[in-house]
Amino acid sequence: MNQLPLPQRPLKPRHYGLTSVHDIGISIGELRHILNDYHDFIDVAKLGIGTAYITPRLQEKIALYQEFGVEVHFGGTLFEKFYYHASVEHYQNYMQTMGIKWCEVSTGTLNIPLKERIAIVEKLSRNFIVLAEVGAKNDLHTMPVSVWLKEIKALLNAGCQYIVTEGRSTGTAGIYHANGDIRSDLIMDILNEVSPQKIIFEAPNPKMQAFFTNLVGANANLGNISPRDLLFVEAQRNGLWSETFYMTDADIKPVKAKPFITDDARQPVNYASA
């Protein structure tokens, strides 16, 4: 049945081409139905904002995701709440008690100096896969490109596996303008210096998802995806939607492409860096 030249997608567990969903209250019953059908299309689940702390049957939900090969982490807001009211050590103990292996370090609400975030990442990366979010949630505050690049590189060097580019669930901050337009020049500047395999782009709506899929390729890392949109996002990745229809079999646009690490289960592919 392989009659269409669809882009190659790495097999799970993937190290790139990740789809990270934003779970802010989907029920366990509905989640089981979604995972039964679409578990191959999801890699990471973020229990968004601070909802994990008050989620009923939290450990059952975490175990369900893990049963289907999906990594779980708590939203950055919960990290910041522990940082503000308790300590990073308390947060680390809480995550270990809940049996999760990924964590997010962010500054969405608190202004945590970069030096302090680096120290936190260095500590947490001994026991967790660490994501660090870069960019301001305040849609009135625009970070200069130089600050984006400085923070991204410093946090990767400190031990982060991935950088999450702030976009909010509304797509109105960070890598987006307040009206939802994409800051494409900023994206190009980042990708000129950082592998797209190390960046998870928050892309909560189809326009944003298509932009990164067309720019980076079928294996762009996409975050803040609704659990109910998994099939649609995978269709975009495969060029099965009008906005990504002309993706090539090589799954990239031919612009300043350079090789990056590849999954052992697939042939090497190139990823656009600009």
Side-chain angles (χ1 to χ4, degrees), residues 61-72:
K61 174 176 266 195
I62 293 170
L64 178 59
Y65 273 120
Q66 292 173 341
E67 176 187 339
F68 285 92
V70 178
E71 298 291 349
V72 179

Side-chain angles (χ1 to χ4, degrees), residues 24-123:
I24 51 172
I26 194 163
S27 71
I28 290 178
E30 184 177 0
L31 178 61
R32 181 171 290 280
H33 287 299
I34 290 173
L35 292 174
N36 273 329
D37 286 346
Y38 305 131
H39 61 91
D40 279 345
F41 303 153
I42 173 177
D43 305 280
V44 184
K46 175 174 72 173
L47 305 185
I49 55 176
T51 58
Y53 201 68
I54 57 171
T55 295
R57 300 156 61 192
L58 174 61
Q59 288 187 300
E60 184 179 346
K61 174 176 266 195
I62 293 170
L64 178 59
Y65 273 120
Q66 292 173 341
E67 176 187 339
F68 285 92
V70 178
E71 298 291 349
V72 179
H73 69 88
F74 302 148
T77 302
L78 188 57
F79 156 76
E80 294 181 52
K81 197 74 170 178
F82 267 88
Y83 177 91
Y84 185 71
H85 287 289
S87 68
V88 174
E89 289 75 17
H90 282 92
Y91 188 54
Q92 177 171 300
N93 293 338
Y94 178 66
M95 291 188 291
Q96 289 174 328
T97 298
M98 293 299 161
I100 65 173
K101 302 174 183 177
W102 288 43
C103 69
E104 179 181 332
V105 173
S106 72
T107 57
T109 302
L110 302 177
N111 182 20
I112 305 174
L114 178 60
K115 183 177 180 180
E116 177 68 9
R117 279 179 282 153
I118 289 171
I120 292 170
V121 168
E122 289 175 341
K123 181 173 185 176

Side-chain angles (χ1 to χ4, degrees), residues 14-253:
R14 285 181 279 264
H15 304 295
Y16 61 94
L18 304 180
T19 296
S20 174
V21 299
H22 189 217
D23 180 341
I24 51 172
I26 194 163
S27 71
I28 290 178
E30 184 177 0
L31 178 61
R32 181 171 290 280
H33 287 299
I34 290 173
L35 292 174
N36 273 329
D37 286 346
Y38 305 131
H39 61 91
D40 279 345
F41 303 153
I42 173 177
D43 305 280
V44 184
K46 175 174 72 173
L47 305 185
I49 55 176
T51 58
Y53 201 68
I54 57 171
T55 295
R57 300 156 61 192
L58 174 61
Q59 288 187 300
E60 184 179 346
K61 174 176 266 195
I62 293 170
L64 178 59
Y65 273 120
Q66 292 173 341
E67 176 187 339
F68 285 92
V70 178
E71 298 291 349
V72 179
H73 69 88
F74 302 148
T77 302
L78 188 57
F79 156 76
E80 294 181 52
K81 197 74 170 178
F82 267 88
Y83 177 91
Y84 185 71
H85 287 289
S87 68
V88 174
E89 289 75 17
H90 282 92
Y91 188 54
Q92 177 171 300
N93 293 338
Y94 178 66
M95 291 188 291
Q96 289 174 328
T97 298
M98 293 299 161
I100 65 173
K101 302 174 183 177
W102 288 43
C103 69
E104 179 181 332
V105 173
S106 72
T107 57
T109 302
L110 302 177
N111 182 20
I112 305 174
L114 178 60
K115 183 177 180 180
E116 177 68 9
R117 279 179 282 153
I118 289 171
I120 292 170
V121 168
E122 289 175 341
K123 181 173 185 176
L124 290 176
S125 63
R126 298 171 195 158
N127 297 299
F128 299 91
I129 300 296
V130 181
L131 316 175
E133 191 170 65
V134 173
K137 286 188 185 296
N138 184 347
D139 57 13
L140 300 178
H141 175 63
T142 301
M143 281 174 49
V145 174
S146 59
V147 176
W148 278 90
L149 291 172
K150 177 183 177 181
E151 293 199 1
I152 289 171
K153 292 178 180 179
L155 291 164
L156 286 173
N157 288 336
C160 280
Q161 290 296 312
Y162 299 98
I163 296 296
V164 179
T165 55
E166 176 66 72
R168 303 210 74 174
S169 59
T170 54
T172 55
I175 56 174
Y176 305 107
H177 293 289
N179 65 358
D181 288 345
I182 300 165
R183 296 179 62 195
S184 55
D185 289 346
L186 168 64
I187 301 303
M188 298 300 188
D189 287 334
I190 291 173
L191 292 182
N192 272 331
E193 299 197 30
V194 183
S195 165
Q197 293 185 6
K198 289 293 185 181
I199 306 291
I200 298 175
F201 299 101
E202 291 194 335
N205 72 40
K207 177 185 77 171
M208 298 162 182
Q209 295 153 15
F211 173 84
F212 291 111
T213 302
N214 282 316
L215 176 65
V216 175
N219 292 308
N221 298 320
L222 301 176
N224 267 7
I225 304 301
S226 167
R228 298 180 182 90
D229 289 343
L230 285 167
L231 182 60
F232 176 60
V233 170
E234 194 66 22
Q236 291 188 64
R237 292 184 183 277
N238 282 279
L240 297 172
W241 186 46
S242 177
E243 301 302 319
T244 60
F245 189 89
Y246 293 103
M247 291 176 54
T248 68
D249 188 40
D251 86 12
I252 62 163
K253 294 185 66 114

